[in-house]
């Protein structure tokens, strides 16, 4: 792959968007490579947590590739938007947990990519924003949908209508990021968080993700029913047997998988 570095170490996978000369901007080729990596992760049940970051010190992802978009007609732009939406949805719906380690600019498609992850850890140097209206376009990789769901409608509208770029502290204040770290400790902290999640029941974590993600797209009663199904399903897993046996035996659980 030309634009992505993908590494697996035990239960942890790391994806690095690697176009530093273009501040890791997402062109079609990079989106397609990302889709291939996501499918590989989906088919590898050894992987439990994924960290997604950008290469270099300056950017996570500075947006969709403006040079490529500049020449697009309406039909091509719609297809490009659909491609980004599809890739980000498959990332969001992975059975594994995905942590964004936002090491710099996360603008436009970059902010949208981080929002398709389960959690966002930011470096003190990270900057977030949806600057699209300044380019005469709207956010196109589901930012109009994920941002209001994360930070509320009023704040999302303010960010999108003004194209303001906010720093990590402000992103933390409005609930867009979970934690902020110094740049040199960001990846270690992301790995620490990943290993904490890896040490828990892998089926339980994955089922909890499914309950949250799918439940939020349902009416409340259906979501409660879905949660009850998921909760019941846990009792058919080795995770539940081992987790509860370990508690009763007063020892640390040793989860091996479903
Ligand atoms: N697309 C293509 N190339 C990009 C890019 C992008 N989104 N962002 C940066 N680059 C390129 C620059 O063109 C530049 O390339 P050259 O060296 O060949 O000129 C290189 O990366 C370095 O960028 P700058 O010289 O601009 O670096 P800077 O430090 O002065 O500024 C920045 C950094 C503020 C992030 C600035 O690059 C910038 O504003 N980038 C665009 C951000 C943006 O508008 N993103 C949204 C895109 S639209 C979108 O994402 C739509 C969607 O939802 C699908």
């Amino acid at each position: 792959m030309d634009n992505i570095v993908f590494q697996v170490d035990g239960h942890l996978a790391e994806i690095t968007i690697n176009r530093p000369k273009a501040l890791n901007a997402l062109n079609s080729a990079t989106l397609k490579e990302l889709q291939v990596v996501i499918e590989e992760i989906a088919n590898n049940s050894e992987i439990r947590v994924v960290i997604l970051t950008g290469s270099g010190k300056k950017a996570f992802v500075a947006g969709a590739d403006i040079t490529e978009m500049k020449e697009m007609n309406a039909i091509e732009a719609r297809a490009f938007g659909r491609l980004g939406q599809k890739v980000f949805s498959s990332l969001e719906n992975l059975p594994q947990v995905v942590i964004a380690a936002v090491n710099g600019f996360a603008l436009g498609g970059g902010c949208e990519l981080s929002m398709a992850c389960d959690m966002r850890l930011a470096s003190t140097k990270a900057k977030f924003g949806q600057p699209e209206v300044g380019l005469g376009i709207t956010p196109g990789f589901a930012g109009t949908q994920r941002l209001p769901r994360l930070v509320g409608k009023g704040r999302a509208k303010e960010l999108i209508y003004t194209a303001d770029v906010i720093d990590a502290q402000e992103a933390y204040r409005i609930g867009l990021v979970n934690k902020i770290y110094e740049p040199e400790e960001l990846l270690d902290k992301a790995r620490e968080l990943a290993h904490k999640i890896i040490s828990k029941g892998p089926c339980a974590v994955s089922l909890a993700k499914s309950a949250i993600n799918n439940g939020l797209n349902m009416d409340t009663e259906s979501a409660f029913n879905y949660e009850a199904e998921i909760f019941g399903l846990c009792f058919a897993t080795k995770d539940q047997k081992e987790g509860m046996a370990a508690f009763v035996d007063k020892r640390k659980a040793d989860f091996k998988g479903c």
Side-chain angles (χ1 to χ4, degrees):
M1 274 180 291
D2 297 327
N3 305 299
I4 287 183
V5 178
F6 178 53
Q7 290 170 309
V8 182
D9 181 10
H11 297 305
L12 178 61
E14 294 187 9
I15 305 172
T16 307
I17 309 293
N18 187 33
R19 294 185 74 212
K21 283 192 185 140
L23 301 187
N24 304 321
L26 298 172
N27 57 8
S28 309
T30 308
L31 286 170
K32 286 173 188 161
E33 287 180 18
L34 187 55
Q35 183 67 51
V36 170
V37 167
I38 291 167
E39 276 160 27
E40 201 170 319
I41 293 169
N43 290 320
N44 184 345
S45 57
E46 272 301 295
I47 298 172
R48 298 186 189 171
V49 178
V50 181
I51 294 173
L52 175 62
T53 193
S55 78
K57 293 198 169 138
K58 209 164 155 183
F60 172 70
V61 166
D65 192 306
I66 300 169
T67 321
E68 186 180 350
M69 283 187 296
K70 189 172 165 289
E71 305 303 331
M72 286 179 185
N73 63 31
I75 303 294
E76 289 163 344
R78 184 177 62 185
F80 185 59
R82 283 269 188 228
L83 173 67
Q85 287 178 345
K86 180 172 157 257
V87 176
F88 289 10
S89 288
S90 54
L91 181 72
E92 183 172 51
N93 293 324
L94 271 173
Q96 294 92 342
V97 171
V98 185
I99 300 167
V102 182
N103 53 312
F105 289 110
L107 302 178
C111 186
E112 292 168 308
L113 176 62
S114 80
M115 292 190 290
C117 300
D118 291 286
M119 283 165 272
R120 283 144 296 283
L121 307 186
S123 111
T124 49
K125 297 232 169 91
K127 299 253 192 285
F128 294 81
Q130 296 289 157
E132 285 89 346
V133 295
L135 295 164
I137 60 171
T138 54
F141 293 166
T144 61
Q145 300 310 304
R146 288 199 178 93
L147 190 59
R149 284 167 171 78
L150 260 175
V151 303
K153 200 158 72 170
R155 286 191 172 119
K157 285 183 170 178
E158 184 182 346
L159 278 170
I160 290 172
Y161 299 167
T162 61
D164 277 351
V165 173
I166 57 171
D167 63 15
Q169 203 57 51
E170 177 64 0
Y172 177 75
R173 193 186 71 79
I174 64 173
L176 185 53
V177 305
N178 295 66
K179 294 260 171 32
I180 305 175
Y181 297 108
E182 290 304 322
E184 55 281 3
E185 59 174 5
L186 177 67
L187 266 183
D188 283 344
K189 291 291 182 185
R191 289 176 186 136
E192 214 174 272
L193 173 62
H195 285 295
K196 183 189 256 193
I197 296 167
I198 285 168
S199 75
K200 308 299 176 195
C203 286
V205 170
S206 188
L207 288 169
K209 173 169 175 170
S210 174
I212 295 167
N213 281 8
N214 291 315
L216 282 172
N217 289 326
M218 296 174 187
D219 64 86
T220 313
E221 198 183 335
S222 307
F224 281 12
N225 288 337
Y226 186 64
E227 186 197 66
E229 293 301 324
I230 292 281
F231 181 67
L233 190 57
C234 291
F235 289 74
T237 67
K238 289 182 195 150
D239 275 6
Q240 179 266 339
K241 308 277 174 279
E242 169 60 12
M244 294 195 176
F247 176 81
V248 171
D249 297 347
K250 300 192 188 305
R251 63 174 170 82
K252 196 170 175 301
D254 178 18
F255 293 110
K256 302 266 191 243
C258 300

